[in-house]
Amino acid sequence: MRVSLDWLSEFITLDKPAEEIADILTMAGLEVEAIELADDDLILEVNVTPNRGDCLSLLGIARELAVLTGKPLKMLPCEVKGETEPGKKIEIRDETLCRRYTGRIIKNIKPGPSPRWLQKRLESYGMRPINNIVDVTNYVLVELGHPLHAFDLNTLKGDSIIIDTADKIYQKIKTLDGIERKLPEDALVIADTEGPVAVAGVMGGALTEVEESTTSIFLESAWFKPQSIRKTSKALGLGSESSYRFERGTDLEILPVALDRATCLLQELAGGVPSKKLDAYPVKFTPARIETSPGRVNRLLGTAIEKKNMISILDRLGFSPEEKASSIMVTPPSYRNDIEREADIVEEIARIYGYNGIPTALPSSSLSAEGIGPMRKFMRQVKNVIRGAGFDEAINFSFMSPDALDFLELAPGDIRRNAVRILNPLRKEESLLRTTIIMSLLEDLKYNLSRDIRSIRLFEVSKVFIRDEGEDLPREPLKLGGIFMAQKTYRFWQKNGEDFYIVKGVVEALLDEFRITGRSFEKCQEPFLHPGKSAKIVIGGKDAGFVGVLSPVLKEKLDIKAREDVLVFELDLYMVIENLPAVPVYGPIPKFPYMERDVAIVVEEYLRAADILKLIREYPSEYIEDAVVFDLYKGGKLGPGKKSLAFNIRYRSGGKTLTEEEIDSIHKGVIASLLEKTGGSIRQ
Amino acid sequence: MDDLSSIKQSFLHELSLVQGIAGLDDIRVKYLGKKGVLTGKLKTLGALPPDERRSAGIVLNEMKVLMENELALRKQALKNRELEKKLASEALDITIPGNYTPPGRLHPLTQTMLDIIDIFSAMGFSVEEGPEVETDYYNFEALNIPREHPARDMQDTFYVSDDVVLRTHTSPVQIRAMQKRKPPFRIIAPGKVYRCDADISHTPMFHQIEGLMVGEDISFSHLKAVLEAFLHRFFSPDVPVRFRPSYFPFTEPSAEVDIGCIFCKGAGCRTCKTSGWIEILGAGMVNPRVFEMSGYDPQVYSGFAFGMGIERIAMLKYSIDDIRLFYENDIRFLRQF
Ligand SMILES: [Zn+2]
């Protein structure tokens, strides 16, 4: 809310510099965000929190300053003369939504432009002057915080002003902005005997608008239920200075004051003969009675504020404190509808006492050994392993474009098509929650490539969101995703070999870190990966992710010109957690030495190293401890369709030192078995 | 025995001229071998009268020991020299970089979050998690933000359905923690939050850390002390901290917490909009209504809650002037931290 200090000084004497006033307000909860210089005036930009609707006016700000500085509030001069019979009656048909409705008729009024001083004040607030009648209602709105509305009397049919919900009768209205609107059934409307003339508290009707030709008006000052106004305003997409205040709750008791104040100003600026006031007040204001225990206030605040000090604060706030033996009975004024229970009183005392006067005390409480917990510890470890492999951490928005699903060529039944849809996305490209991290990482890759960055290793750890039929909330699996592209770089130590193995190695390093043993890499069906250079990551027999080269088709669709492969991986981290091994149990360290033998065999190219290793490990000899593949060779004299794989086999006995002869004989057996089962030959 | 001293002279001279370990053997043979010079002398001992034989024997033996020692010393010296030569020939250009994979960097938001979590963890706070897609109940209702409450305007919400939203803050984790735990407890809940807002200073997704401490006698004084301790640890022990009244539906009293501007030291600059203060977090005593809705008796329990935006804190920490940099994932940006 914009507060002109010049205007504010009509309500309270300001004898302090603007900065000091701003500081006083800020430290009491009315944050002054800026002080603006305007001609010979200073404007405070005050941030009024939603609970303090009473401060959306100069009166409200002045009231706060009076409490904080001890200066008295100034009363506004107002005396309404010459009261005639109104000739209208008020008919409130919904007393819950409209607890009070006041109004009066003013005849022989002359619409015209407002005087410059009034226009300037409206401008200081940020309002556009229209004509003296509308301007006066706005002027009083800023002054007292109470919205008023003026109808052209001659357009109001019949002798009743009806306040009712739209329901079946008042379905449509053409509002001041000239738009024909369909009203929600529970919207509150003001109607005459023929139909609706205003959407209560939100916007007037076009038919009853005050114009240059207007000679008489009906001036409304009413109270509407905040929730109802807010609902209607949201439903119609209409917000105004009036609805903003009604939503935050207005003062039931100020209605006639605001009406009189506006009447006085109108008589001064536009002439006119006012009628007597109409005041329908079916549901009277009943002040809250709140008992407050000073001991409890001090216990909650950690203070030792004396009871009489509390009473003084509450008195300055206008809360009419009554001292009881061990408590204070408080009756908050009608404009403080935010004060409902003891906690509100505690806040008021703390606020006026000053937060900075409250001492600090570190809490003592039972020790907690939980720390950051296993989940956070796990995530830190994951990130550090991947980071150690040279990957920088990316963080992307959780959104995904609906096009991404087709772009990745996901099959119709793919679970990643079960994405959560946002009803009100900022852009269509951000209208789904992502079901995979890969698309975001591909976009990161594009972004960096277009900036001439040639070596890209990025990873991200994030939840993805999978919609489950019949469930309110989606599943939120935790994924680790990565992307890798190494173009020629001027590093001294050059990499060699297939990038696939580098990236697969990163995944293996991670699984090793957590000692995940039951794992394998199987042929992968991901439509967006190179079928021959990709693998499904299987943990504990379940599909836990993938690693591989992006398919050439997608690479072309992404318009990536570079020759090098793009590699991606994704791993379900919850599946890693599920397969974490138990605490290791110590096993004795071998007492006897091992012996090694190497063998290279030439086999058909399609045979897999893992399968041959399996043959070795399954060979019926208790002495085979381990076997690894250490070389792969193709081409040369081997001829097409063939490859040579070299294995190192380690033999050991648990009970004795094996002799060369014993090993040679087992090794020979292993080789014979391998050649037989693979149809291969020994490499010469 | 004059010729003995000349033998010693020529032995030492010849020894000093030897350049290889092989040459040492020649000298050993020449002087100490079966037909060596000194061996020859020793053989003549028998021809001497017994009284002279003894003293001459001592002298000759001393000479033998001396020669053997000198030979050994010379051998060690030559060996050392050969080793030095070999090592020198093997020297590498040590300025060529080591063969390693340069480690990647954690995102600055992650680093900031880890720092904050560690400080609170050291103060006994446990980490709690909650879903990012939340029900309206946890995100709003249970936090005393009913439908048609103006406080809903404080947050632009992404809706999935009428009753399901992308959480607009980490505060729903407060409610989940209260349902799960028994007081006293203290928790923090870091995570992603979403608001339907994107401009120069807002991104539709950002990060928050929520805190909640509940017990039987938790006061505003405790809130002040814990947050001051955190801010002093995170920024610097002498950064000024101020608490001013504010409003959050789920706390009462509520506070906005400011630190003295770390750039201008309070003098006023662009970052602090000339005020000398920077808003850093929101906090307050748990609203009794929130306790009631979660089945806690506010006459028995009290507590405080706080929340802060990680982006804002990371921007202050690293002097980053545009929030959007966090989500572009430009490697030249990521590698700076
Ligand atoms: Zn500053």
Side-chain angles (χ1 to χ4, degrees), chain A residues 254-544:
Chain A
I254 206 171
L255 268 55
V257 180
L259 188 66
D260 283 353
R261 171 70 180 150
T263 309
C264 285
L265 283 166
L266 280 174
Q267 280 184 285
E268 193 183 315
L269 304 177
V273 182
S275 77
K276 280 183 186 165
K277 241 183 318 223
L278 289 161
D279 189 355
Y281 196 177
V283 188
K284 298 270 184 307
F285 166 71
T286 42
R289 302 271 292 161
I290 304 164
E291 190 163 13
T292 304
S293 139
R296 208 174 139 66
V297 172
N298 279 326
R299 221 170 53 239
L300 262 168
L301 295 178
T303 47
I305 306 170
E306 282 179 44
K307 193 177 180 186
K308 65 173 197 301
N309 200 352
M310 291 185 191
I311 290 172
S312 150
I313 288 172
L314 294 167
D315 188 47
R316 271 145 65 198
L317 282 164
F319 283 16
S320 316
E322 302 154 42
E323 182 164 5
K324 301 265 154 108
S326 62
S327 67
I328 306 168
M329 186 58 82
V330 176
T331 311
S334 59
Y335 51 84
R336 288 304 301 271
N337 53 36
D338 60 316
I339 306 295
E340 294 173 333
R341 57 192 291 171
E342 196 182 19
D344 302 309
I345 304 296
V346 175
E347 178 168 60
E348 287 303 292
I349 291 171
R351 194 169 70 82
I352 305 303
Y353 181 76
Y355 281 10
N356 288 330
I358 297 173
T360 57
L362 274 172
S364 61
S365 91
S366 54
L367 288 171
S368 159
E370 272 185 67
I372 61 167
M375 190 61 213
R376 288 274 155 182
K377 220 176 122 190
F378 172 79
M379 268 168 60
R380 284 187 190 193
Q381 211 173 338
V382 168
K383 288 184 180 183
N384 280 331
V385 171
I386 305 301
R387 185 169 91 77
F391 286 68
D392 295 310
E393 188 189 12
I395 298 182
N396 287 287
F397 294 147
S398 301
F399 307 118
M400 177 172 75
S401 168
D403 298 338
L405 303 168
D406 292 331
F407 181 86
L408 292 174
E409 297 174 9
L410 299 180
D414 195 307
I415 195 164
R416 288 166 293 193
R417 283 196 175 268
N418 294 358
V420 173
R421 186 174 298 278
I422 299 167
L423 297 178
N424 56 332
L426 285 171
R427 316 185 290 136
K428 179 178 163 271
E429 293 76 21
E430 293 177 349
S431 62
L432 297 184
L433 290 182
R434 56 184 176 166
T435 53
T436 168
I437 297 182
I438 296 309
M439 204 60 222
S440 309
L441 290 171
L442 287 171
E443 277 157 24
D444 294 341
L445 176 87
K446 282 285 289 177
Y447 183 96
N448 281 289
L449 283 177
S450 70
R451 281 154 185 82
D452 268 347
I453 295 159
R454 291 162 175 234
S455 176
I456 295 162
R457 296 169 187 227
L458 286 171
F459 79 96
E460 183 173 8
V461 174
S462 173
K463 286 178 172 177
V464 298
F465 304 86
I466 308 283
R467 185 168 44 79
D468 267 343
E469 254 4 288
E471 295 289 329
D472 275 352
L473 299 183
R475 276 191 296 124
E476 299 189 1
L478 185 67
K479 300 278 185 177
L480 161 69
I483 195 159
F484 175 103
M485 185 175 183
Q487 285 181 264
K488 181 176 176 352
T489 51
Y490 292 92
R491 286 199 62 214
F492 185 86
W493 308 102
Q494 297 300 330
K495 65 180 176 77
N496 49 33
E498 283 276 352
D499 287 344
F500 172 80
Y501 294 111
I502 296 178
V503 180
K504 184 191 173 199
V506 173
V507 175
E508 289 180 298
L510 182 75
L511 297 176
D512 273 4
E513 169 81 7
F514 294 103
R515 296 187 296 114
I516 304 292
T517 46
R519 69 189 201 223
S520 63
F521 291 82
E522 305 293 340
K523 189 163 169 51
C524 168
Q525 310 288 348
E526 291 292 1
F528 48 87
L529 296 180
H530 186 308
K533 292 186 178 182
S534 62
K536 182 161 81 175
I537 306 165
V538 179
I539 301 177
K542 284 191 204 152
D543 188 348

Side-chain angles (χ1 to χ4, degrees), chain B residues 28-81:
Chain B
R28 178 185 297 277
V29 170
K30 180 172 171 190
Y31 288 91
L32 298 173
K34 279 183 182 151
K35 293 172 181 168
V37 180
L38 199 66
T39 319
K41 283 274 175 201
L42 279 165
K43 280 178 183 160
T44 64
L45 279 179
L48 291 176
D51 49 337
E52 281 176 44
R53 194 191 300 163
R54 192 154 180 268
S55 60
I58 289 170
V59 172
L60 282 174
N61 261 318
E62 277 174 356
M63 177 67 77
K64 190 182 171 197
V65 169
L66 180 137
M67 283 181 169
E68 275 167 351
N69 281 347
E70 284 298 324
L71 275 166
L73 280 173
R74 185 68 188 151
K75 188 174 179 184
Q76 192 56 47
L78 288 174
K79 251 177 141 174
N80 287 351
R81 206 159 77 195

Side-chain angles (χ1 to χ4, degrees), chain B residues 6-258:
Chain B
S6 76
I7 289 171
K8 184 181 168 188
Q9 287 300 321
S10 61
F11 168 79
L12 289 175
H13 178 68
E14 282 168 44
L15 200 58
S16 70
L17 294 178
V18 174
Q19 295 304 324
I21 287 173
L24 285 177
D25 278 342
D26 297 345
I27 296 183
R28 178 185 297 277
V29 170
K30 180 172 171 190
Y31 288 91
L32 298 173
K34 279 183 182 151
K35 293 172 181 168
V37 180
L38 199 66
T39 319
K41 283 274 175 201
L42 279 165
K43 280 178 183 160
T44 64
L45 279 179
L48 291 176
D51 49 337
E52 281 176 44
R53 194 191 300 163
R54 192 154 180 268
S55 60
I58 289 170
V59 172
L60 282 174
N61 261 318
E62 277 174 356
M63 177 67 77
K64 190 182 171 197
V65 169
L66 180 137
M67 283 181 169
E68 275 167 351
N69 281 347
E70 284 298 324
L71 275 166
L73 280 173
R74 185 68 188 151
K75 188 174 179 184
Q76 192 56 47
L78 288 174
K79 251 177 141 174
N80 287 351
R81 206 159 77 195
E82 268 168 32
L83 183 65
E84 271 165 35
K85 242 199 231 155
K86 181 167 179 280
L87 293 180
S89 73
E90 288 170 359
L92 301 176
D93 179 350
I94 53 161
T95 65
I96 284 172
N99 187 4
Y100 74 113
T101 305
R105 302 286 163 188
L106 291 182
H107 196 283
L109 290 175
T110 300
Q111 293 192 43
T112 306
M113 199 123 68
L114 291 179
D115 288 348
I116 297 173
I117 291 172
D118 284 345
I119 294 173
F120 281 107
S121 168
M123 290 197 274
F125 285 76
S126 316
V127 178
E128 190 70 65
E129 315 267 347
E132 292 174 31
V133 181
E134 258 299 5
T135 59
D136 188 273
Y137 176 79
Y138 283 104
N139 196 74
F140 292 122
E141 296 277 343
L143 289 160
N144 193 30
I145 317 173
R147 278 175 207 271
E148 312 313 335
H149 192 289
R152 289 215 175 185
D153 284 349
M154 294 165 92
Q155 304 171 355
D156 295 309
T157 311
F158 281 118
Y159 284 91
V160 168
S161 74
D162 265 1
D163 295 313
V164 178
V165 301
L166 305 194
R167 66 175 179 190
T168 56
H169 45 191
T170 39
S171 310
V173 187
Q174 284 187 31
I175 307 300
R176 290 185 177 272
M178 282 199 263
Q179 291 179 347
K180 212 166 87 179
R181 292 170 183 262
K182 273 200 153 44
F185 62 81
R186 30 182 129 176
I187 58 119
I188 49 168
K192 290 172 180 167
V193 300
Y194 303 86
R195 299 219 186 139
C196 197
D197 200 355
D199 58 37
I200 186 137
S201 50
H202 297 89
T203 48
M205 182 189 93
F206 56 100
H207 295 75
Q208 281 188 340
I209 288 187
E210 191 79 9
L212 174 68
M213 175 160 186
V214 178
E216 285 188 13
D217 255 313
I218 303 302
S219 72
F220 200 92
S221 283
H222 297 139
L223 162 70
K224 280 187 74 172
V226 166
L227 292 181
E228 259 182 35
F230 161 69
L231 292 168
H232 285 158
R233 189 91 58 90
F234 189 87
F235 288 103
S236 87
D238 51 7
V239 71
V241 178
R242 77 171 186 186
F243 291 74
R244 58 186 164 80
S246 188
Y247 171 72
F248 306 104
F250 38 96
T251 52
E252 175 113 62
S254 302
E256 213 57 87
V257 186
D258 300 336

Side-chain angles (χ1 to χ4, degrees), chain A residues 80-152:
Chain A
V80 179
K81 286 165 284 197
E83 305 207 341
T84 58
E85 286 305 317
K88 287 265 181 204
K89 63 176 196 291
I90 290 162
E91 208 182 311
I92 300 178
R93 292 188 186 164
D94 191 324
E95 296 177 351
T96 317
L97 300 189
C98 178
R99 284 171 67 182
R100 190 177 193 184
Y101 194 100
T102 65
R104 73 154 44 94
I105 282 160
I106 304 174
K107 288 189 168 158
N108 297 334
I109 201 161
K110 287 177 208 65
S114 300
R116 189 60 203 138
W117 65 266
L118 191 147
Q119 292 187 341
K120 257 182 81 176
R121 285 197 162 165
L122 288 182
E123 282 160 5
S124 80
Y125 182 82
M127 280 174 163
R128 193 169 48 89
I130 297 166
N131 61 47
N132 48 12
I133 298 170
V134 176
D135 290 354
V136 162
T137 61
N138 282 333
Y139 190 86
V140 173
L141 174 132
V142 177
E143 270 194 346
L144 305 181
H146 195 82
L148 301 170
H149 185 68
F151 298 91
D152 184 329

Side-chain angles (χ1 to χ4, degrees), chain B residues 261-278:
Chain B
C261 180
I262 51 178
F263 300 106
C264 65
K265 305 281 172 229
C269 70
R270 236 189 51 182
T271 306
C272 60
K273 287 190 241 152
T274 73
S275 72
W277 294 95
I278 295 176

